Amino acid sequence: MTVSITPQVHRSKFGVYQVVQTILGVLFSIYLLWRIYDVFFGHPSYGPDTWARFAISGIILGSVYALIAIGYTLVYGILFMINFAHGEIMMIGAFGGYFVFEALKNIPAPTALEPNLNFLNAHPIISVFFAFVIGMALAALSGYFLEQIAYRPLRGAPRLVPLISAVGASIFLQNAGQLLFGSQRRDYTNPVILSRGAGWNIKIGAGIVTVPYTGILTLVLTLIILVSLYLLVQKSRMGRAMRAVAENKTSASLMGIDVDGIISRTFLLSGALAGAAGVMWGIHLGLVYYFVGFIPGIKAFTAAVLGGIGNLPGAMLGGLFLGLVESLGPGIMGIDFQLKDVIAFTILVLVLIFRPTGILGEVLSEDKV
Amino acid sequence: MAMLEVTNLHTYYGNIHALKGISLTIEQGEIVTLIGANGAGKTTTLRAICGLVKTQGGTIQLESEDLNPYKAHQIVYKGVSMVPEGRGVFARLSVSENLDLGAYSLPDRKTRDADLEKVFTIFPRLKEREKQIAGTLSGGEQQMLAIGRALMAHPRLLLLDEPSMGLSPILVESIFSTVKDINRQGTTILLVEQNAQMALTIADRAYVLESGIIAMQGKGSELLEDPRVIKAYLGGQ
Ligand SMILES: Nc1ncnc2c1ncn2[C@@H]1O[C@H](COP(=O)(O)OP(=O)(O)O)[C@@H](O)[C@H]1O
Ligand SMILES: [Mg+2]
């Protein structure tokens, strides 16, 4: 028997609820269509180059959201809990990369032509590689210990209990970050070839659109990570074990699968992805501080819910979608760009109220025979 | 040396005393059945053998080795596989992925293809459905899958928890004859059943469990004729 994870209240309550939902949906769609018509054909406020700029930044940001969102979804898929400290894991990854760059910046690597050259700029590829390795490793370990300390002892408790523990862990990690690294915002010093603002220039319409190298790096790495993750989950022995544990822990242990071990590895994996996202965030947007994981964390959570929590492709698409909505939405709806966060959170609230199973529907189901 | 020797086993769920000191022995090559009413403690007995519930008193020995120190996921490496009540197939995974997971405890992949062929010989239906998602199989097919999956681990002792549950009489017949075949090929079997008639017919020996206590035991054929068994479990006078 297949049972939906989320309470069925919303679907079975036929009547007022669904009528309101449908009316609101239709009204909003009409509004959106009118806005899209207006900004593109009626009274175009921006040229195609500006829209392209919006879209590019949206796709880049969206791919980072996707990486973080996958962490929420992997953990939810196995433990049916929201790891609210996941954004802080990303923060730890971002700091890992930051300190690698800082350290390498101080290692001199002079050449005959450039006596002041440092390691960071002499070997940018190796430096970036190190930043990701260290950032991902730190975040993975943090995720691992987070589970050991904050969640494992609460296994078997009512579902609200680990959730509260997660919120506590999130606050704890933020404060620990503030104590360790101070509350100032630090600039991420990239290798010069990855300077912010540097990029590919493409002529679109009347203007020149720059595709930043940091963004290209982010996209390429995200793509590599997503493909590897897909292969890991779908094709490997460990991935099969993960899916088995997600579905039925008793049966999984009867197969000889060490369920606790798989749960640990899931936290390592989702931590590593969040760490990669943190380093990308630092390299692409340039700032790191103790609170840096909070907003992307909530946004990625939105993305995961949007795609149907527990659903891997859903998290990827949800992340991309959210990135695009954030970057294109204010322009389309004619509102202030400062309000892009409001858009994301409005979506979260609306999805949670009207469609808690996510846009892609409930792919996740649990065998509760 | 007995294949399995359970001695004075006690188990609790909270303060429910589910097993009150049961003892049973299974010899190499036997089919032993454990029958009893709903709630008697049959599933709990199997779960205790597999390490899925803690035992609080008594011992479980597999070929003289105490199983107590092992966790559930380690028991299968000892040669014990269980087909759980309600089948417990991975409904979202394909038939072939389910079978692969059955062989999870055998890191040596060399025998996998041969094992798969063996399972498909026993259950040709599974071969037809190889790529299908397990949740879309019929109840009987899921039972075949659960048994096939357990066989993939090369068990020396196979525990079956009510394999006939929810199946049509024809399917029950065929599942039981399959169980008999599996046993003939060398696997020792502990069969839990509510369908006492069928179970006693194929079993070498049987135990009757009543409220956590072994109430009767004997040869399958003897219990089939025992008036108390007939009255309580075979629906006769
Ligand atoms: N998870 C559980 N929690 C509490 N009590 C349980 C649980 N599982 C079984 N029991 C109780 O233990 C006793 C034995 O159950 P079980 O072994 O499932 O019986 P059977 O398989 O013979 O029907 C019953 O009284 C049942 O109510
Ligand atoms: Mg039972």
Side-chain angles (χ1 to χ4, degrees):
Chain A
M1 184 177 54
T2 316
V3 184
S4 147
I5 289 286
T6 15
Q8 307 249 335
V9 200
H10 298 290
R11 227 161 322 141
S12 52
K13 223 196 281 173
F14 202 76
V16 185
Y17 210 79
Q18 287 195 329
V19 172
V20 171
Q21 181 180 347
T22 311
I23 292 175
L24 284 179
V26 169
L27 285 180
F28 185 73
S29 307
I30 292 172
Y31 167 74
L32 206 60
L33 284 175
W34 169 70
R35 285 304 310 174
I36 289 174
Y37 171 80
D38 193 51
V39 291
F40 286 113
F41 307 105
H43 309 87
S45 36
Y46 307 107
D49 52 329
T50 307
W51 287 114
R53 249 173 240 130
F54 289 159
I56 288 165
S57 89
I59 290 172
I60 295 167
L61 220 55
S63 70
V64 179
Y65 292 156
L67 280 183
I68 311 174
I70 286 167
Y72 282 108
T73 262
L74 282 177
V75 166
Y76 187 88
I78 284 195
L79 285 183
F80 308 113
M81 67 160 289
I82 310 289
N83 177 12
F84 274 118
H86 193 54
E88 278 56 55
I89 302 292
M90 174 210 152
M91 176 266 288
I92 291 168
F95 267 111
Y98 168 82
F99 284 115
V100 168
F101 280 175
E102 291 301 303
L104 297 181
K105 206 172 64 180
N106 291 322
I107 298 176
T111 59
L113 283 177
E114 294 169 275
N116 291 327
L117 201 61
N118 56 31
F119 189 94
L120 185 65
N121 288 311
H123 306 285
I125 296 180
I126 298 177
S127 302
V128 168
F129 178 75
F130 265 141
F132 275 98
V133 168
I134 298 292
M136 289 169 80
L138 280 179
L141 285 178
S142 310
Y144 173 83
F145 286 113
L146 173 71
E147 193 268 334
Q148 294 275 324
I149 295 166
Y151 305 148
R152 183 158 298 189
L154 303 174
R155 197 88 54 72
R159 274 165 71 172
L160 193 59
V161 177
L163 217 60
I164 294 168
S165 183
V167 173
S170 164
I171 297 171
F172 170 82
L173 288 174
Q174 277 170 24
N175 285 293
Q178 191 176 14
L179 272 176
L180 283 172
F181 312 128
S183 37
Q184 77 273 30
R185 295 167 184 241
R186 299 163 184 249
D187 281 324
Y188 230 81
T189 334
N190 294 354
V192 172
I193 58 162
L194 280 177
S195 300
R196 273 168 289 280
W200 261 336
N201 293 316
I202 305 169
K203 201 169 166 343
I204 294 180
I208 303 281
V209 175
T210 305
V211 186
Y213 292 136
T214 55
I216 296 169
L217 177 77
T218 300
L219 282 180
V220 170
L221 281 181
T222 303
L223 209 66
I224 294 173
I225 291 175
L226 292 188
V227 171
S228 324
L229 183 79
Y230 174 82
L231 293 177
L232 176 81
V233 171
Q234 292 298 324
K235 307 283 177 205
S236 77
R237 177 177 137 96
M238 180 190 154
R240 218 172 7 243
M242 281 176 71
R243 285 183 289 141
V245 171
E247 197 169 319
N248 189 330
K249 293 183 182 52
T250 306
S251 284
S253 65
L254 288 176
M255 303 297 109
I257 298 170
D258 176 5
V259 173
D260 283 342
I262 291 294
I263 290 173
S264 286
R265 285 190 229 178
T266 304
F267 273 85
L268 280 169
L269 186 62
S270 61
L273 296 189
V279 179
M280 288 172 188
W281 191 267
I283 289 179
H284 182 61
L285 297 177
L287 272 185
V288 59
Y289 64 117
Y290 71 95
F291 207 57
V292 73
F294 187 71
I295 298 284
I298 296 188
K299 292 210 179 133
F301 171 59
T302 308
V305 173
L306 208 58
I309 189 126
N311 175 346
L312 269 186
M316 300 180 192
L317 292 176
L320 218 53
F321 177 77
L322 196 70
L324 281 172
V325 165
E326 258 188 30
S327 58
L328 299 175
I332 290 175
M333 302 210 284
I335 59 177
D336 197 304
F337 279 87
Q338 303 287 320
L339 293 178
K340 67 180 172 53
D341 290 354
V342 176
I343 295 184
F345 300 139
T346 310
I347 290 180
L348 175 60
V349 171
L350 289 180
V351 171
L352 284 179
I353 294 175
F354 291 115
R355 201 162 164 79
T357 50
I359 302 294
L360 293 190
E362 85 241 58
V363 171
L364 191 87
S365 53
E366 190 186 5
D367 209 32
K368 282 185 179 162
V369 192
Chain B
M1 181 173 60
M3 181 94 218
L4 187 83
E5 176 109 51
V6 174
T7 317
N8 196 24
L9 180 67
H10 288 264
T11 331
Y12 293 81
Y13 293 104
N15 47 23
I16 301 172
H17 198 171
L19 299 181
K20 301 164 188 158
I22 71 163
S23 299
L24 53 89
T25 309
I26 303 172
E27 298 296 337
Q28 163 81 41
E30 277 188 313
I31 298 186
V32 172
T33 185
L34 187 59
I35 58 175
N38 212 342
K42 307 181 294 296
T43 298
T44 307
T45 307
L46 296 193
R47 291 173 63 88
I49 296 169
C50 290
L52 290 169
V53 291
K54 269 219 191 75
T55 61
Q56 279 134 315
T59 56
I60 301 170
Q61 288 183 317
L62 184 75
E63 294 177 327
S64 302
E65 186 186 11
D66 194 354
L67 290 184
N68 195 39
Y70 297 107
K71 296 192 173 134
H73 68 92
Q74 295 167 322
I75 301 284
V76 60
Y77 292 86
K78 297 279 155 199
V80 181
S81 284
M82 171 151 90
V83 177
E85 191 171 43
R87 299 153 198 141
V89 300
F90 300 109
R92 276 179 292 157
L93 273 50
S94 69
V95 167
S96 90
E97 283 177 321
N98 269 274
L99 292 171
D100 263 348
L101 280 161
Y104 187 87
S105 57
L106 308 172
D108 177 15
R109 313 278 296 160
K110 261 181 275 166
T111 60
R112 182 192 165 272
D113 287 346
D115 292 343
L116 212 52
E117 273 319 302
K118 229 161 89 206
V119 169
F120 287 153
T121 320
I122 301 173
F123 302 115
R125 267 308 246 302
L126 293 182
K127 188 164 177 67
E128 294 163 30
R129 305 259 188 272
E130 201 177 346
K131 295 278 165 275
Q132 206 166 311
I133 298 300
T136 64
L137 299 179
S138 72
E141 290 165 344
Q142 289 194 14
Q143 190 63 61
M144 296 172 194
L145 179 57
I147 297 175
R149 188 180 62 174
L151 290 177
M152 290 295 285
H154 295 185
R156 284 174 299 143
L157 174 63
L158 181 63
L159 313 177
L160 294 153
D161 198 348
E162 302 206 29
S164 73
M165 190 163 49
L167 302 188
S168 69
I170 297 169
L171 266 174
V172 173
E173 194 99 33
S174 113
I175 290 279
F176 272 84
S177 91
T178 307
V179 169
K180 191 87 197 162
D181 285 344
I182 293 168
N183 172 251
R184 267 197 216 102
Q185 288 168 25
T187 311
T188 308
I189 286 174
L190 174 55
L191 171 67
V192 157
E193 261 304 334
Q194 283 206 52
N195 188 335
Q197 174 79 48
M198 290 293 277
L200 291 173
T201 308
I202 69 161
D204 299 310
R205 287 186 308 112
Y207 292 88
V208 180
L209 199 55
E210 275 171 12
S211 314
I213 294 169
I214 300 282
M216 278 180 267
Q217 63 187 78
K219 286 211 171 104
S221 49
E222 285 170 7
L223 288 187
L224 265 178
E225 321 220 301
D226 188 299
R228 288 169 298 166
V229 174
I230 293 175
K231 186 158 186 293
Y233 302 104
L234 302 176
Q237 271 76 44

